[in-house]
Each structure stands twice: as C-alpha cells, then as structure tokens.
Amino acid sequence: MAGQAEDRLDVLARVGLFRAFDPEQLRQVAARLKQQQYRKGDIIFQQGDPGICLYIIAQGRVRVYLSSADGREVTIRIYETGSHFGEFSVFDGAPRSASAAALSNVSTFVLYRDDFLDLLRTNFDLVERVLTFLTERLRYTTTYSEHLAFLSAPARVAAQLLQLANPDAQPEPLRLKVTQQDLAALACTSRESVNYALRDFAERGIIRIERGAVVILDPAALKDAIS
C-alpha cells in the first residue's frame, strides 16, 4: 500500500495541474484517486457521456477526438504520460464535448467530480491552476481552428509538431512519439501529405524521422514553415 501511495505522489508531482502543490496537498489529492486501466483501442469515454471524472495518465497515450454523424473522426489532441484530460465536463457538469480512446495500454488515476470540487473549495492554489489550464486549452482550440482554416497541409503539419512538442517547455532536440497517421488526423490531411511534408522537413535538417517518432532539431525553422 505504501508503494502505491508513493507511485501516486510521484505521478501527481509531474502533472502540471498539481505541480505547485506542497507534499501535504499532494497527499490530499492522492488519497482521493482511483486507478483504472485500459487496453490499446479501448474507448475511455464518448462524446455526450456524463462528465463525472477527470483523468491523469500514469502511463500510456490517449487520443481525444470529435465524431460526426456519418462516422468521421477528427483528432483534437494526443495526451502522453503525466498529462490530464477530461476536466472541462468535470468543472461545469456538462456532458463530454469529445471522445477519448487509448492509443496504447493506458494506466490512469481518476479524480471524481465531487472530490475535485471539494479540493477546489479548500485549495485556492488549485483554483488558480485550473483557470490557467482552462485558458491554455481554450487558446489551443482557437489556434487549432485557425490552423485548419488558413494554413496549407505542410504548414498544418509543422504547427501540430510544435503544438505537441511545446518547445518553450522542453530542451532540444524534441522527440515526439507520434506516427504519420496521428499527424494526419491532427492536421486534418492525408497520410501522403504528412509523409511529403516530413520528408521535406527532414531534407532541410529541421527534423529527423525515426520509427514511430519525429525528432525536432530546429524549432525556429519549423515555426518559419508555418508562415
């Protein structure tokens, strides 16, 4: 049991939402977490489901996406280990605005709405962090919409690489575990267009293509490719 508690604290300490918490505050959060496992391909929740909890990824990758009435899907974002998702519906009590699926075997910690709201009432630091992250998610959605509306396919690929990498928060070079199919879904283009764009970026020394990953060697040049 002690080992499990330490594992939860280690995960929470890496999550941006709780990074400013002191050890005692982290223990308060950890005590309320429930663990859930998903296999690759499992649906974690669907668009329209009740928003009863938020998820913290202890291990694995999750795709958040929108579905149309005719069955088409648009990937909004891919979350990695240490990320959290699903907080919008938990915060306002509305149904899920998107769906989430496991891209690999996924281990999550779940924080239910009542516990989350109770923590908000007693921890103003968490309220500030939630506001910060909600603002970041809103900005991401706005930027994402602009990319789809105004950019060419190669520019959308470059923009998605930078968005996933968050170069301001990580040292160079930036290695992204992302497939060409992932990028095609995120950039709303074909896999062939993604392949063409990546090969062009690689020939120019901006990125390096690895199996199941892309390494960003020159973030500044990648930004130039968006304009």
Side-chain angles (χ1 to χ4, degrees):
M1 292 294 291
Q4 291 180 358
E6 290 303 317
D7 288 344
R8 294 184 181 196
L9 289 173
D10 288 344
V11 171
L12 284 174
R14 298 196 302 270
V15 175
L17 193 59
F18 304 106
R19 197 170 291 150
F21 274 31
D22 62 36
E24 178 54 35
Q25 289 172 315
L26 289 176
R27 279 190 285 270
Q28 291 178 28
V29 178
R32 300 167 187 259
L33 297 177
K34 307 294 188 293
Q35 193 163 20
Q36 289 187 8
Q37 311 280 345
Y38 300 92
R39 294 183 180 275
K40 181 179 180 179
D42 283 353
I43 302 299
I44 299 172
F45 57 74
Q46 291 187 315
Q47 205 169 326
D49 284 352
I52 59 173
C53 60
L54 69 84
Y55 296 84
I56 298 166
I57 305 176
Q59 187 174 1
R61 303 170 70 234
V62 171
R63 177 174 74 103
V64 174
Y65 62 96
L66 296 173
S67 301
S68 66
D70 60 6
R72 289 177 296 171
E73 295 178 356
V74 175
T75 299
I76 300 174
R77 204 161 189 179
I78 295 173
Y79 292 101
E80 306 269 356
T81 299
S83 300
H84 58 88
F85 64 97
E87 66 277 0
F88 274 108
S89 294
V90 173
F91 196 66
D92 64 10
R96 299 289 188 189
S97 58
S99 302
L103 284 174
S104 65
N105 291 339
V106 174
S107 176
T108 67
F109 290 118
V110 177
L111 183 61
Y112 284 91
R113 185 170 190 265
D114 288 345
D115 289 329
F116 182 58
L117 294 179
D118 188 44
L119 286 167
L120 289 176
R121 294 185 189 101
T122 56
N123 292 278
F124 187 70
D125 286 345
L126 181 55
V127 174
E128 290 185 309
R129 297 297 290 174
V130 167
L131 291 174
T132 297
F133 275 91
L134 290 178
T135 302
E136 184 272 334
R137 297 283 161 90
L138 179 60
R139 285 175 176 161
Y140 175 89
T141 302
T142 302
T143 302
Y144 181 80
S145 299
E146 290 174 348
H147 289 168
L148 294 184
F150 300 116
L151 297 181
S152 66
R156 293 203 301 272
V157 173
Q160 289 301 328
L161 288 173
L162 286 172
Q163 187 71 58
L164 290 170
N166 189 13
D168 295 331
Q170 298 185 48
E172 299 176 23
L174 308 167
R175 187 176 188 276
L176 299 176
K177 290 181 62 177
V178 62
T179 67
Q180 292 189 17
Q181 192 58 51
D182 290 338
L183 283 172
L186 286 165
C188 289
T189 189
S190 67
R191 191 178 182 280
E192 290 74 16
S193 294
V194 169
N195 182 270
Y196 175 84
L198 292 181
R199 283 192 289 107
D200 178 57
F201 296 155
E203 290 171 0
R204 292 157 59 187
I206 298 173
I207 66 168
R208 182 172 70 247
I209 302 172
E210 298 180 354
R211 184 177 180 83
V214 175
V215 180
I216 300 177
L217 304 174
D218 191 343
L222 201 59
K223 288 180 182 177
D224 290 340
I226 299 174
S227 58

